Amino acid sequence: MTGPTRRRLLELAGAASMAAAAAAGARAEGISPGPRGEAAAVLFAHRTPLRIGAVSLVVQDLERMTAYYRDVIGLAVIGRSEGQAKLGAGGSVLLVLDHKPSAPFELPGSAGLFHTAFLMPTRRDLARWLVHAASNRVRLTGFSDHSVSEAIYLDDPEGNGIEVYADRAPDEWRWEAGSVIMSTDQLDIDNLVSLTNIRVNDYASAPDGLRIGHVHLRVGDLAPAAAFYGAAGMAPTRQRSGAAFMSSGRYHHHLGLNVWQSRGAGPRDAAATGLGWFSLEAENADMLAAQERRLREAGLTVTAMGDGFETADPWGTKLRLATR
């Protein structure tokens, strides 16, 4: 293969045009078309008081899922046991796969994971990854320019959503009345891949600086979801019909919440596949203690574990908080 063409990238996304690919990206984030600008990516997401740490998935096929995140996303296998695999980048564990071969697949419409968003350190890294995905005929589900970031969407073999993205520089983000402007436009793939050699797949593994930038959840009701994650330290950054976005330290969002497929959902099936837990990391012990106090004052059950604690949102999605 001499390199991915625009047509090949569209084929991987199952789209007939860039407009169709952008529409798929819009469905992935639920935001409407708008302007775009040039890029200058930084890892602002991990310089905030709270940041996303890791995500755990309950999986039926541990070998297949481990291979997918290793070969497609480029994560390194950091630890392995009979029933678990830990994967990450730069020595940091980002993904924990827990093997439960008899677990039923999570039902459509239930609360749980919408997608895990892997944040590339630079825009060029995103371009290199896209060439890698195209060279290996990875099935993609959409491309979007969100003004604050550029994003590519796909699903893992067990149906868990994935976003791979690069941020624009924070001074390029636009805020109005305390709300960040996040639009959806066609991703300029030609401009993106111009940063690398499309005839050479040089993405052998994830860059050391790859991290999880945000987690997007399906919930049953936005108001109690926002109240819970507010008590956990997240502040609102944007709200639209059926969705809310929250962050720490004025990042565009560390957390997405939506009811597009899950409005009115009840408690999650704890035995099913999908999201096991995700974690937030606090910059110091005082902040962690303050978050624990707020959650207890809100009447929530908090369980000590390791160097932090665990709680659960109104649908049973487990949240772990710890220091960095």
Side-chain angles (χ1 to χ4, degrees):
M1 183 175 181
T2 59
T5 63
R6 173 185 287 254
R7 179 182 297 277
R8 179 61 191 150
L9 288 166
L10 291 172
E11 288 172 356
L12 289 169
S17 66
M18 285 308 301
R27 288 192 296 273
E29 286 291 3
I31 44 185
S32 56
R36 65 171 183 262
E38 287 305 310
V42 296
L43 276 174
F44 182 88
H46 274 241
R47 297 201 303 266
T48 52
L50 288 171
R51 65 187 185 189
I52 301 293
V55 165
S56 164
L57 298 176
V58 175
V59 303
Q60 287 188 353
D61 190 333
L62 184 61
E63 295 302 323
R64 185 183 186 195
M65 293 287 277
T66 299
Y68 185 86
Y69 282 95
R70 181 194 65 214
D71 299 340
V72 173
I73 306 301
L75 301 183
V77 178
I78 294 174
R80 189 68 188 264
S81 66
E82 182 178 348
Q84 188 181 81
K86 295 181 179 179
L87 299 96
S92 295
V93 174
L94 305 179
L95 185 68
V96 179
L97 302 178
D98 286 313
H99 190 207
K100 295 185 180 178
S102 61
F105 279 117
E106 191 169 56
L107 294 174
S110 63
L113 182 68
F114 193 61
H115 61 239
T116 301
F118 293 95
L119 174 59
M120 289 288 174
T122 69
R123 189 173 187 247
R124 183 174 180 274
D125 289 321
L126 181 64
R128 292 172 54 243
W129 178 81
L130 181 55
V131 170
H132 168 75
S135 298
N136 287 282
R137 301 180 179 272
V138 175
R139 170 73 176 174
L140 306 176
T141 59
F143 307 90
S144 287
D145 184 326
H146 293 309
S147 298
V148 295
S149 63
E150 295 171 291
I152 300 162
Y153 298 92
L154 60 162
D155 295 323
D156 74 20
E158 295 193 3
N160 299 291
I162 299 170
E163 175 182 340
V164 181
Y165 76 116
D167 275 336
R168 289 198 163 88
D171 60 9
E172 296 182 28
W173 306 347
R174 293 186 297 126
W175 295 79
E176 293 180 1
S179 180
V180 68
I181 305 302
M182 292 193 297
S183 58
T184 293
D185 204 348
Q186 294 179 17
L187 180 63
D188 190 340
I189 289 177
D190 291 338
N191 183 272
L192 178 63
V193 298
S194 72
L195 298 174
T196 190
N197 184 350
I198 65 172
R199 293 176 175 81
V200 176
N201 176 9
D202 66 352
Y203 189 90
S205 61
D208 285 350
L210 179 80
R211 294 294 182 269
I212 296 176
H214 67 267
V215 172
H216 197 142
L217 302 175
R218 302 188 309 267
V219 299
D221 189 339
L222 289 179
F228 171 83
Y229 289 104
M234 295 283 105
T237 58
R238 178 175 172 82
Q239 187 155 353
R240 65 174 303 277
S241 177
F245 301 88
M246 308 181 76
S247 81
S248 171
R250 283 175 68 84
Y251 185 53
H252 52 76
H253 69 296
H254 288 106
L255 188 66
L257 309 165
N258 78 66
V259 295
W260 301 323
Q261 303 159 356
S262 55
R263 188 182 300 274
R268 297 181 60 203
D269 179 357
T273 61
L275 184 62
W277 51 264
F278 75 99
S279 67
L280 290 175
E281 297 176 341
E283 62 182 352
N284 56 54
D286 288 344
M287 170 170 280
L288 183 66
Q291 297 310 129
E292 181 176 1
R293 220 167 26 246
R294 290 177 65 183
L295 288 163
R296 290 187 185 279
E297 288 170 355
L300 295 160
T301 300
V302 175
T303 304
M305 57 181 307
D307 58 352
F309 59 89
E310 181 178 270
T311 186
D313 76 10
W315 298 274
T317 295
K318 294 178 180 179
L319 171 65
R320 296 182 175 182
L321 286 94
T323 52
R324 297 176 184 176

